[in-house]
Every structure is written in C-alpha cells, then in structure tokens.
Amino acid sequence: MSTYLLLDTSTSRTSVVIVKNGEVVFSEYSDGALSHGETLPKLVVAALKVASQIDEVIVGMGPGPFTGLRVGISFAQSFAFARGIKWQGVCSLDAIASQFSDKDFLVAVDARRKEVFYARYTDGVRIGEPNVCQPSQLDALQIPIYGEALNQFPDPSAFVDIANSNKTYSAPIYVRRPDAYPAPVGVKFRPMTQLDLVPAFAIEKAAYGKDGWSMAQLKEEYAGSDRMYVAAEFGGELISYAGVFNLAGVADVLTLTVADGHRRKGIGRELLRRLIDWSRTQKCEAIMLEVRVGNEEAIPLYTSFGFIEISRRKDYYGPGKTAIVMRKELK
C-alpha cells in the first residue's frame, strides 16, 4: 500500500489530504480565494507531521481560475521532483461529483466573470470535457447542480480512486481560451453585399455539396429583414461569410462558412464574434445555432464562446445527419 499527498487549489478552498494504506490520516482545508499561495505550504507542513513518507502526489488540475490553479500544480510538481516520486493530475470536478449518486447531474464551480466551470455526469461518469458558461444556461437544463455555490468543494480523498479509474491530466484544465487572438493577417472584414452572392454560392457548394443552400435560398436568406451578414475577403477575393437573424429577441446564426484553405486561421472566430456583437446591439437575450454532430472544427469554436448544447434535431441536415442545437445567453 502507498501513502498519497493529495492537493487541490482549483476553487476558493485550499485542501490537503493524506491517504495512507487506503485510510485518510490527514484532511484539512482553508477557505480564501486569494490565499492559496500562503495557505498551501502551511497545510502541507502540518500534513507531513502526520505522515512524512510520501509515495505519490495527486493534484486537482481544475478547471479553475488561473492563479489558484497554478499554485497547487506548481507545488505538486516541485514536491514530487524534490523527493523523486511520481505525481498525477485529475479533474477537480470529478472529486465533487464523487460525493453524489444522481442519475444525471451537473457540477459547477466559480469561474469569475459571472461564469461557471462545469461538467455533466450520468451515473457518476463525466460526459465529455469540462466547459464554461453562464449559470443561467445550466439552470435552463433543469437537472440537479452541485458545487461551489452550495458550499460543495472537491474532496481530495477521492483523488486516488479517480486517478486509478478516470482520465488523468498532465496539463492544467483551463477551459477558457486566451481573451485576445491575433487578427487574421491580410483579411478584410466588411458588410456582405449582393455582389458577394455568386462567390458565396461557390463556397457554399464546395463546403456542403448537395446539403448546402441553393442560389435561390441564399438570395432569399440574404434579402430578409432583421438580419446582418458579414464577409471576409483576402486579396480582393471572398473567402468567408456569415449571417445572423433576430427572431423576436433571440438571435439565430443562419450561416458561418469559411472557404477551404482558409480555415483554422481565426477567420471563423472573428466572424462569430461580430455576429454576437450585432446580436447584443439588437438587445437579443440569447443567440442560437445548429451544428452537425461530429463537426470537430466548429463545435470547439462554439463552446469556447460559451455556447452549450440544449437539444438535438434528428435528420436536420438530411437522413441520418443530426444537428446539435446550441445556445449562448447574452444577458
């Protein structure tokens, strides 16, 4: 049997636990969102007085606010290196979920900026990777939500079982992408015009084939009221376009298409940002979109902006082609 030093600084609570031969022999915590750096060493010193011979360190890798998270991870790595022992990282949300047995539930912790980090669990098993959104988006799912708002925090004593049965992490689970992205070099963003319809149709056909809009549909969607289209061009050539529609106070993304050869360059991100900004100027309460199941380029982009899945539409893109319906609250 081994002795484990278990640490978590992913929330406003700093927790230190020692498990020896399967038994918890030390468990202490201190609350304070800004005191991780001061508190953690003191708790570890107290823990080592109970059991000084440590065989392995396991640390909560988040998600959590950057500063607090780094305190725990850096300490765990340094401690393990100095002693020549192994260290592992686990998802901190899993250590909250381990305390509950509901069929379907969410775990959420404070992400600052009026947002929460969360994960969904079915029969105690996490579904996918943690994400970030506004609390109201989780409330809309109408399933139990556990976590920091209810004074429920990661229990590091569960880290050993989590490390043995779940995915471990070698890097922090930050979830949020950087706030600032470099503008796509040489790309001009401007309002879309009727002159763009022909090249837009060519991009549409190349991207979606027979599942794309017809020229008549493209013209009809473009000409409608209460909507905005934006185009991106490179070297005087249209390479991308996107549109959004205000339907009774809820914005709906009509299209967001980037030509092949220009993807993964930040163009789609900039277009989506402009659609969201326009929706806010229209005082929309939320913005929604559909994305095909399995679209591994688009789904991470949308989730990074705070969109969450609210439903699925079977055969939306044709027989056997299901759409994920996603929504982002704007108020």
Side-chain angles (χ1 to χ4, degrees):
M1 300 292 285
S2 299
T3 301
Y4 297 88
L5 175 63
L6 312 171
L7 315 173
D8 190 82
T9 57
S10 65
T11 66
S12 59
R13 174 170 291 182
T14 301
S15 299
V16 175
V17 172
I18 288 183
V19 170
K20 183 176 182 179
N21 298 329
E23 298 292 332
V24 175
V25 297
F26 179 91
S27 179
E28 295 288 344
Y29 66 83
S30 177
D31 290 330
L34 302 177
S35 61
H36 300 95
E38 177 184 356
T39 302
L40 182 60
K42 294 179 180 178
L43 290 178
V44 172
V45 168
L48 295 178
K49 291 179 180 178
V50 176
S52 61
Q53 184 62 45
I54 304 298
D55 300 304
E56 183 176 333
V57 183
I58 305 178
V59 61
M61 302 294 276
F66 178 86
T67 303
L69 201 56
R70 287 302 306 174
V71 169
I73 296 171
S74 297
F75 189 99
Q77 292 173 331
S78 299
F79 186 95
F81 178 79
R83 294 205 173 196
I85 60 177
K86 178 182 177 181
W87 77 274
Q88 294 190 81
V90 298
C91 176
S92 301
L93 298 181
D94 292 349
I96 299 178
S98 67
Q99 304 168 44
F100 305 99
S101 58
D102 302 61
K103 174 71 175 179
D104 188 22
F105 65 96
L106 295 156
V107 170
V109 297
D110 184 19
R112 316 258 173 94
R113 308 182 193 177
K114 298 181 180 180
E115 293 180 321
V116 292
F117 296 120
Y118 74 94
R120 189 166 185 167
Y121 295 80
T122 299
D123 293 325
V125 178
R126 175 159 43 87
I127 308 302
E129 292 298 316
N131 211 327
V132 62
C133 71
Q134 295 176 336
S136 59
Q137 292 177 273
L138 299 186
D139 293 337
L141 297 177
Q142 297 184 334
I143 60 175
I145 304 173
Y146 300 111
E148 195 168 2
L150 298 177
N151 204 37
Q152 296 157 344
F153 295 90
D155 177 11
S157 64
F159 282 3
V160 177
D161 288 339
I162 293 170
N164 288 336
S165 61
N166 289 16
K167 180 180 179 181
T168 57
Y169 293 81
S170 59
I173 309 172
Y174 286 134
V175 178
R176 278 199 188 103
R177 298 191 178 190
D179 291 331
Y181 283 79
V185 178
V187 178
K188 177 182 178 182
F189 295 90
R190 56 170 175 76
M192 187 172 174
T193 71
Q194 286 189 330
L195 296 177
D196 294 314
L197 292 177
V198 171
F201 179 66
I203 295 173
E204 181 85 7
K205 290 292 104 178
Y208 308 118
K210 63 180 181 180
D211 294 330
W213 284 346
S214 66
M215 187 60 172
Q217 289 173 316
L218 184 59
K219 288 181 178 179
E220 181 181 0
E221 292 293 345
Y222 172 78
S225 59
D226 297 320
R227 63 196 63 200
M228 184 274 290
Y229 276 82
V230 60
E233 64 176 49
F234 181 77
E237 177 183 349
L238 184 75
I239 59 171
S240 185
Y241 56 95
V244 62
F245 171 49
N246 179 4
L247 179 61
V250 176
D252 184 25
V253 175
L254 297 169
T255 183
L256 197 166
T257 306
V258 180
D260 190 27
H262 295 279
R263 295 170 187 160
R264 297 185 179 275
K265 297 180 180 179
I267 298 169
R269 174 171 293 278
E270 178 62 20
L271 289 174
L272 183 57
R273 185 189 67 78
R274 290 172 182 246
L275 299 186
I276 293 172
D277 287 348
W278 180 85
S279 301
R280 286 197 168 105
T281 67
Q282 303 301 301
K283 302 188 183 305
C284 293
E285 66 180 46
I287 181 169
M288 298 179 64
L289 56 82
E290 294 84 26
V291 59
R292 185 175 301 183
V293 170
N295 188 336
E296 297 304 325
E297 288 187 350
I299 294 173
L301 170 64
Y302 300 147
T303 56
S304 74
F305 272 87
F307 284 86
I308 66 169
E309 177 180 340
I310 60 171
S311 65
R312 296 197 175 199
R313 294 178 180 171
K314 187 177 180 181
D315 300 329
Y316 182 80
Y317 295 107
K321 299 175 182 178
T322 299
I324 300 173
V325 182
M326 306 186 79
R327 178 181 172 110
K328 172 183 171 65
E329 301 299 324
L330 298 179
K331 293 184 178 180

